[in-house]
Amino acid sequence: MRTKGIKQIIKAVIPSALIRYRGPSASRRVALTFDDGPVPGITDEVVRSLTARGHRATFFVVGQRAESCPALVKEIVDSGCEVGNHTYSHLPLSRVSYNQLASEVERTDRILNRNVAGPSWFRPPGGGLSWRLLLYLWRRRIKASPVLWSICVPHEHRKSQAEILDILRTAAPGPGDIVLLHDDHRTIVHVLPAILDLLDERKLRSVSLSELLEPSFY
């Protein structure tokens, strides 16, 4: 309850330019984002499904997992998608010391920098925000900008495909939305084609966060 209250206060007082929840609605673009991978046999299939349909996405990778499959991280980037930092071991950052928080983020940066250009985006596990985290991001001058989401599909592996699609249809994704999904369970492989069908129905295209949030560079 306390963490939720902190998050609400932070969202109210911190400018949206510093913590991004959505992008501009000037074009028919959304950003599908996938947390908690990469997982061989899942993430690669997600990437191929996206690119086959002309979509791109951002994958917030866990450093521990990225370290064990660098070729998969490179495949994500080579496909036109991008990677973001999701900490090294997916610990709730509100419960760790400042030094441990810094280690979680910077260790993942170093792993990703071995294979691809440094990540532009950072997402705390569970979207957990705290004053300690904001202080850390400010001190490192937000080398990777924090991004949360405007639409969330929680715990896909506990839901049927129909339930997942119902969540998305109810949320009614529109231009500028940032959608949270996960690529650590095969459920996403099976439901992704239907999610892309829904975007097509709504005349939306998924792009990377950089394309959505920094359109002047594309």
Side-chain angles (χ1 to χ4, degrees):
M1 194 72 174
R2 182 184 171 196
T3 301
K4 184 177 180 181
I6 291 173
K7 186 184 295 187
Q8 290 172 338
I9 293 169
I10 289 172
K11 187 172 181 179
V13 302
I14 299 296
S16 60
L18 296 182
I19 298 177
R20 310 299 289 271
Y21 294 86
R22 58 175 301 111
S25 56
S27 63
R28 306 295 301 178
R29 294 176 168 188
V30 298
L32 296 183
T33 64
F34 296 85
D35 285 12
D36 300 352
V39 178
I42 298 177
T43 303
D44 44 341
E45 290 192 40
V46 169
V47 168
R48 290 163 197 162
S49 292
L50 288 165
T51 55
R53 300 271 298 263
H55 295 275
R56 286 185 286 273
T58 299
F59 292 79
F60 282 96
V61 302
V62 175
Q64 217 167 28
R65 288 181 162 174
E67 193 171 31
S68 66
C69 51
L72 183 50
V73 173
K74 189 173 185 301
E75 181 179 344
I76 293 171
V77 176
D78 287 347
S79 75
C81 296
E82 65 184 351
V83 294
N85 185 324
H86 200 43
T87 73
Y88 182 77
S89 52
H90 205 267
L91 292 172
L93 296 183
S94 61
R95 301 178 189 173
V96 302
S97 69
Y98 182 92
N99 287 340
Q100 191 174 3
L101 184 158
S103 175
E104 283 284 316
V105 177
E106 292 166 19
R107 190 173 180 182
T108 301
D109 272 349
R110 289 194 296 272
I111 290 164
L112 295 178
N113 282 332
R114 294 173 197 160
N115 303 289
V116 300
S120 299
W121 311 106
F122 167 74
R123 178 176 285 164
L129 297 175
S130 67
W131 298 115
R132 185 186 297 121
L133 174 60
L134 292 176
L135 174 62
Y136 168 73
L137 293 172
W138 178 81
R139 282 182 171 173
R140 70 194 301 253
R141 298 300 184 265
I142 312 184
K143 292 179 181 177
S145 299
V147 176
L148 296 185
W149 55 81
S150 56
I151 294 176
C152 174
V153 181
H155 308 299
E156 291 101 319
H157 64 285
R158 300 178 189 172
K159 294 178 172 59
S160 69
Q161 294 183 47
E163 288 173 321
I164 293 169
L165 289 173
D166 187 55
I167 289 170
L168 288 171
R169 288 189 183 280
T170 300
D177 272 317
I178 297 173
V179 182
L180 169 63
L181 300 162
H182 300 82
D183 61 320
D184 61 341
H185 193 276
R186 285 202 63 80
T187 302
I188 191 61
V189 173
H190 301 306
V191 76
L192 184 57
I195 293 174
L196 299 181
D197 287 344
L198 175 60
L199 295 186
D200 289 345
E201 288 171 20
R202 301 183 67 83
K203 296 181 170 54
L204 297 168
R205 186 170 74 92
S206 177
V207 297
S208 69
L209 281 171
S210 294
E211 291 174 274
L212 183 71
L213 301 178
E214 300 175 351
S216 60
F217 292 100
Y218 289 84

